[in-house]
Amino acid sequence: MNPEVPTNCLPAELVSRTGFLLGRLGMALKTQMMEAFEAEGFSAYQYSVLALLDEGPRTAQAAIADALQFDPSQLVAMLDALESRGLIERKRDPNDRRRQMVSLTAAGKRQLAAFRKLVQRIEDDFLEPLDEDERRELHELLLRVAVQRDARYVLPVAAKS
Amino acid sequence: MNPEVPTNCLPAELVSRTGFLLGRLGMALKTQMMEAFEAEGFSAYQYSVLALLDEGPRTAQAAIADALQFDPSQLVAMLDALESRGLIERKRDPNDRRRQMVSLTAAGKRQLAAFRKLVQRIEDDFLEPLDEDERRELHELLLRVAVQRDARYVLPVAAKS
DNA sequence: TATTGTTATACTCTATAACTATA
DNA sequence: TATAGTTATAGAGTATAACAATA
């Protein structure tokens, strides 16, 4: 027998399809992220929320759901969890008491910094076979595909300073 | 107002993460594939099965589940559907009547050819913003990441003759 | 009456466990 | 007793629909 050579290889036809790889890898990475966050008592979605709020508070929960393409009803539980840990703050809009204004707290900023390290660690591990240039190349290619599909993926022109 | 500029852009932090793009795009493409197959009365998983069997019949269902990383119990329904349409054939192994030998029929080969066109069409549409060289580059980068994670993604050295 | 956030319900998908027949 | 395939069950995750407060 030859234990080095896997007997149950994937069909070459599938492996040679970019779409198949994209689907499988995307799913694998997502799963890995979810598990890592869960192991620390959080959810990966909560990271997205904090990252969004770091760009400024939102005047309504619906704005968050809209930007991240989350279901408004499933957002409630996420915000509840974040609020009970003191990472975000919900305040009723005095002009329209139906709306909740959501903002990041100081503790939330600190947690976000920790999340960044976690995400970076997983991503580095995942992209390990690629050097820095190749990672940039991969990112650029994916970003162009993403922007084509949804204009909301455009990066702000002057992100820095 | 300025309807061209989306007010609910994704946070730059997320868009600048390769992992985020990979996860989102992978999911989006998978969903698109699933819907396209479903619209024709099939499932995208069935394409994987046919592609695998095109490389040769399998001596047991478990080998298929193993190669494609499907749950054996969920594979049953897939094979049932394929068999009832005459696309595959199941034969009991006379030496071990517990095993089912699974092979592609002539009709199955024809259906596989049709599936290939469908998949190619969706993939072309998805990768539209990239030219041929860039698509090759993207595929090569993804493949290297995939192989690192799971050796079964290795493409056979001499795939063609 | 319409909208915001919330809660409750239903549905899909997957993963686990039990079952049958063969060995 | 163990294994291959099958069927049944349970659980997570997601989407839909009803609800209460405010406009």
Side-chain angles (χ1 to χ4, degrees), chain B residues 61-62 73 76 90 98 100:
Chain B
Q61 289 186 190
S73 69
V76 174
R90 281 197 271 209
R98 288 174 305 183
Q100 299 261 40

Side-chain angles (χ1 to χ4, degrees), chain A residues 49 52-53 58 60-76 78-79 102 152, chain B residues 8-10 24:
Chain A
V49 173
L52 180 77
L53 292 177
R58 302 284 148 156
Q61 288 186 191
I64 301 174
D66 230 52
L68 297 175
Q69 291 160 268
F70 288 164
D71 190 305
S73 69
Q74 93 182 36
L75 179 64
V76 174
M78 287 182 220
L79 295 182
V102 186
R152 303 194 306 175
Chain B
N8 289 321
C9 272
L10 285 160
R24 285 261 176 149

Side-chain angles (χ1 to χ4, degrees), chain A residues 10 18 20 23 27-28 31 40 49 77 79 83 85 91-92 104 111 113-114 117 130 132 138:
Chain A
L10 286 159
T18 308
F20 182 79
M27 188 62 81
T31 302
E40 309 219 350
V49 173
L79 295 182
E83 190 180 31
R85 285 166 183 259
K91 271 189 222 159
R92 288 277 169 199
L104 205 55
Q111 185 62 60
K117 280 186 197 161
L130 308 184
E132 228 179 281
L138 175 60

Side-chain angles (χ1 to χ4, degrees), chain B residues 92-113:
Chain B
R92 288 277 169 199
D93 180 342
N95 299 324
D96 183 344
R97 289 187 43 73
R98 288 174 305 183
R99 291 169 185 269
Q100 299 261 40
M101 301 190 303
V102 187
S103 59
L104 205 56
T105 66
K109 272 188 194 288
R110 283 193 298 275
Q111 186 61 60
L112 177 57

